[in-house]
Amino acid sequence: MQGLMMDYPLTIPAILHRADTIYGHKPIITRLPDKSIHRYTYSAMALRSRKLSAALQKLGILKGDRVATLSWNHYQHLETYFAVPSIGAVLHTLNLRLSPDDLSYIITHAEDKVIIVDQVLLPLYDKFKSKIKIDHLIVIPQTGQPIPEGALDYEKLISSADEKMFVPFNGDEHTAAAMCYTSGTTGNPKGVLYSHRSVVLHSMASSFADGLGLKESDTMLPVVPMFHVNAWGLPFTCTLLGTAQVLPGPYLDAVSLLDLLEKENVTITAGVPTIWLGILNELDTHPGKYKLSSLRMMVVGGAAAPRSMIVGFEERHGLNVLHAWGMTETSPVGSISFLAKELQNQPKETQYNYRAKQGLPACFVEVRGRNENGLIRWDGETMGELEVRGPWVARSYYNSTDMDDRFTEDGWFKTGDIVTIEANGYIEIKDRSKDVIKSGGEWISSVSLEGAIMGHPAVAEAAVFAIPDAKWQERPMACVVLKPGKSATHDEIIRFLEPQYTKIQLPDKIEFVTEIPKTSVGKFKKSALRELYKHMGS
Ligand code: ADP
């Protein structure tokens, strides 16, 4: 017998409709490239988005066509997030920190028809334009300079469009809505293709109280770029809930962000640990300078949040960090480290230990770990590769045959992350499988060592990676950036680590550097470090 409930499709236009009809007055605030602040409302955003939908249809964009964006976080980018899927086309956000060669590869592979580009990013576009073939270039005017010949002006397209001419797509929730390529640390970048349904379910689940806990009354500043995993889905989640949005434009340095967090009374913000390490350093250097009493939560994910950072924010500045794990392939929210009831009356130190883990799987995300002996026990000790499945987890890559080994025969996704899982379900990422240091018979977690070194009071950042070793196969080495005006020696850091690690787990070499190379999304670039320091091995 079938249930008798309505078959209401879960689509992105339904998210926009709700924001327009119920939260039309709520604000969307952007810091523009000239640093001035642009403010408008959800109803203005919804109207302009419908006009853009009409304009794209007039340009001949059909259901299934890919429309790319090369943009920072700002209100026009938000408009594309709704305008493109609302006509059944696919929003393809391009990561502006990738190399011109990677970008031209991705655009060609996705067969993008249109690229919408920030005027301030035209110098980047110019570096790969000769290698791609698209139907239309649309430029978002930002500088007052004329836009290039042959390109269309985004603002003129919107002002001349008639929103009543826009024909919505047929509303099938399984239709592709958005696409994002992984950053290609192993082989070519791979396309992940989100559906309307996956975006809606991800928005709902990630806003649960035991998810990211977003509310209508919040003001959200996503530091995480809208060109990387849809800014963790936050533009969709905030619009669904009517949450005020503060979009930082191209200014992602600690001082600019703190200024915006303070002035706009932001209550919740989200980004990768390297951003928060910079912010923590600025707060430590100027105690009391920034008034952040509105800020109730900072969501940190994309790489391991060091325990010392979580402790530092809370104990020195009264700021609450929520640690979450995810990947491009998981939309991205996969697990969230909130404190379950039985942990809430544990000593603070135990609570910090749990908050530094990657947490409990999100609702409907199933997890398991596997090593060479099969599925691992949930004992918090046995390590294995994390496999996941769920309604917002990729089941395959776009137009790719060479990556099928990332999916198991029974339909789970192999994350490439090495984890332990506790009996109570808490996941801890020990490493990425390619970063774990295989020393003798033992696996040494680079993530754990990094977190511990970053707990040293003189250390700003630390990355740990493998160098070759004739006897042990691989040994750990660390690159360390010291805080301004602070000093530490190799021996001091080793002594600091000794109580927590066995001798064999301690780094053989520590190099003090001024900067650690980062990937296009701000994570430590361990592949570059391995290459750079391989001569230090034996
Ligand atoms: P890329 O694979 O291109 O780096 P993703 O953003 O999809 O891009 O990266 C996902 C990976 O980032 C995960 O597989 C994991 O290794 C790492 N990661 C994400 N969040 C966390 C976290 N909270 N702790 C540790 N690692 C994390």
Side-chain angles (χ1 to χ4, degrees):
M1 189 190 283
Q2 295 273 295
L4 289 173
M5 306 311 283
M6 290 183 188
D7 194 11
Y8 180 92
L10 304 176
T11 65
I12 290 172
I15 295 180
L16 187 64
H17 178 69
R18 179 176 163 83
D20 191 18
T21 49
I22 301 177
Y23 306 121
H25 59 287
K26 299 287 304 283
I28 295 161
I29 298 151
T30 299
R31 180 175 263 163
L32 297 173
D34 68 359
K35 291 212 161 175
S36 64
I37 298 287
H38 173 277
R39 291 172 200 276
Y40 74 168
T41 60
Y42 271 108
S43 57
M45 188 274 274
L47 176 63
R48 282 171 52 94
S49 162
R50 284 194 295 272
K51 283 177 177 283
L52 179 60
S53 294
L56 290 171
Q57 281 182 328
K58 204 166 164 193
L59 287 175
I61 300 304
L62 302 172
K63 190 177 163 194
D65 285 347
R66 268 75 70 205
V67 175
T69 55
L70 189 63
S71 288
W72 293 104
N73 291 13
H74 53 59
Y75 68 100
Q76 289 114 326
H77 204 178
L78 186 64
E79 290 159 8
T80 67
Y81 263 56
F82 291 92
V84 175
S86 292
I87 59 172
V90 180
L91 176 81
H92 177 196
T93 48
L94 297 168
N95 180 343
L96 55 89
R97 299 217 177 90
L98 291 182
S99 68
D101 279 350
D102 273 347
L103 282 165
S104 60
Y105 169 84
I106 288 171
I107 293 163
T108 308
H109 188 265
E111 297 177 87
D112 293 330
K113 284 250 163 91
V114 174
I115 301 186
I116 301 175
V117 55
D118 282 7
Q119 191 166 25
V120 293
L121 292 172
L122 280 173
L124 170 61
Y125 176 78
D126 287 342
K127 289 192 183 146
F128 60 81
K129 68 178 180 195
S130 62
K131 296 192 191 137
I132 58 167
K133 205 173 140 317
I134 53 170
D135 291 355
H136 302 286
L137 173 68
I138 301 176
V139 176
I140 298 176
Q142 291 165 322
T143 63
Q145 299 295 314
I147 64 161
E149 205 154 319
L152 298 162
D153 179 320
Y154 181 92
E155 288 302 327
K156 286 189 184 148
L157 269 183
I158 291 215
S159 56
S160 62
D162 179 357
E163 70 280 7
K164 288 183 240 36
M165 298 303 288
F166 139 57
V167 186
F169 84 109
N170 66 11
D172 173 0
E173 65 181 22
H174 294 287
T175 304
M179 129 189 267
C180 192
Y181 278 70
T182 62
S183 44
T185 25
T186 48
N188 278 328
K190 297 152 322 250
V192 177
L193 195 53
Y194 309 105
S195 66
H196 283 254
R197 176 187 149 86
S198 74
V199 167
V200 170
L201 290 174
H202 177 264
S203 303
M204 287 170 63
S206 57
S207 64
F208 287 169
D210 286 338
L212 307 184
L214 263 176
K215 301 193 295 280
E216 180 273 340
S217 53
D218 274 317
T219 298
M220 161 57 90
L221 189 158
V223 183
V224 50
M226 290 169 74
F227 57 75
H228 187 57
V229 213
N230 299 328
W232 299 351
L234 292 167
F236 296 119
T237 310
C238 289
T239 306
L240 178 70
L241 302 173
T243 304
Q245 299 187 48
V246 180
L247 305 172
Y251 301 105
L252 301 181
D253 59 287
V255 173
S256 302
L257 289 171
L258 282 163
D259 176 65
L260 207 53
L261 290 169
E262 176 180 336
K263 290 209 175 103
E264 298 300 335
N265 296 313
V266 169
T267 62
I268 176 165
T269 171
V272 292
T274 44
I275 295 274
W276 304 119
L277 286 169
I279 288 192
L280 183 58
N281 190 32
E282 172 68 15
L283 292 176
D284 284 344
T285 316
H286 304 283
K289 180 173 170 196
Y290 301 94
K291 307 277 169 284
L292 300 175
S293 53
S294 305
L295 190 59
R296 68 174 184 84
M297 193 154 73
M298 306 153 89
V299 184
V300 182
R307 184 185 187 277
S308 57
M309 186 184 90
I310 301 175
V311 176
F313 271 119
E314 182 148 324
E315 300 202 341
R316 298 201 290 279
H317 306 285
L319 292 170
N320 181 24
V321 169
L322 179 70
H323 189 197
W325 167 88
M327 316 178 64
T328 305
E329 292 88 337
T330 63
S331 293
V333 178
S335 72
I336 304 119
S337 205
F338 66 93
L339 282 180
K341 189 168 169 64
E342 72 266 17
L343 299 171
Q344 289 177 3
N345 39 28
Q346 293 287 317
K348 205 83 193 141
E349 291 305 308
T350 311
Q351 294 188 354
Y352 283 132
N353 291 344
Y354 273 92
R355 289 173 55 196
K357 294 179 195 283
Q358 283 65 25
L360 292 172
C363 305
F364 299 120
V365 174
E366 286 184 55
V367 298
R368 65 189 189 190
R370 185 191 293 281
N371 63 19
E372 62 283 4
N373 303 319
L375 292 182
I376 60 167
R377 272 179 297 135
W378 289 25
D379 58 9
E381 279 181 9
T382 315
M383 289 197 214
E385 182 181 3
L386 179 68
E387 298 178 354
V388 295
R389 67 172 180 182
W392 49 88
V393 178
R395 69 177 150 85
S396 145
Y397 291 108
Y398 174 70
N399 251 355
S400 160
T401 44
D402 60 338
M403 290 308 295
D404 290 342
D405 61 343
R406 295 296 299 272
F407 300 91
T408 66
E409 279 188 0
D410 60 345
W412 292 60
F413 171 66
K414 299 198 238 175
T415 63
D417 285 335
I418 304 297
V419 295
T420 57
I421 309 177
E422 292 200 17
N424 58 9
Y426 276 79
I427 302 166
E428 181 168 343
I429 306 244
K430 294 292 190 180
D431 231 319
R432 293 190 112 173
S433 53
K434 56 184 182 298
D435 293 334
V436 72
I437 299 149
K438 300 182 182 87
S439 187
E442 185 169 7
W443 284 10
I444 302 173
S445 161
S446 67
V447 173
S448 159
L449 275 172
E450 282 161 5
I453 300 174
M454 285 191 265
H456 188 285
V459 174
E461 285 185 346
V464 173
F465 50 94
I467 47 172
D469 187 276
K471 179 168 172 208
W472 298 98
Q473 181 189 3
E474 289 180 350
R475 292 292 304 141
M477 165 166 177
C479 276
V480 171
V481 181
L482 293 173
K483 288 182 182 161
K486 295 277 165 79
S487 65
T489 62
H490 173 281
D491 290 355
E492 277 163 15
I493 290 187
I494 295 294
R495 274 202 300 278
F496 179 75
L497 296 175
E498 267 166 357
Q500 299 174 60
Y501 292 95
T502 60
K503 198 163 178 308
I504 194 78
Q505 293 169 326
L506 294 170
D508 276 9
K509 304 232 158 56
I510 298 179
E511 185 85 353
F512 292 93
V513 296
T514 49
E515 203 183 345
I516 293 173
K518 311 252 168 41
T519 71
S520 61
V521 288
K523 305 181 194 186
F524 296 143
K525 201 171 191 172
K526 306 240 187 129
S527 52
L529 289 168
R530 280 194 291 267
E531 190 52 35
L532 203 60
Y533 292 102
K534 64 178 183 213
H535 64 279
M536 306 274 276
S538 60

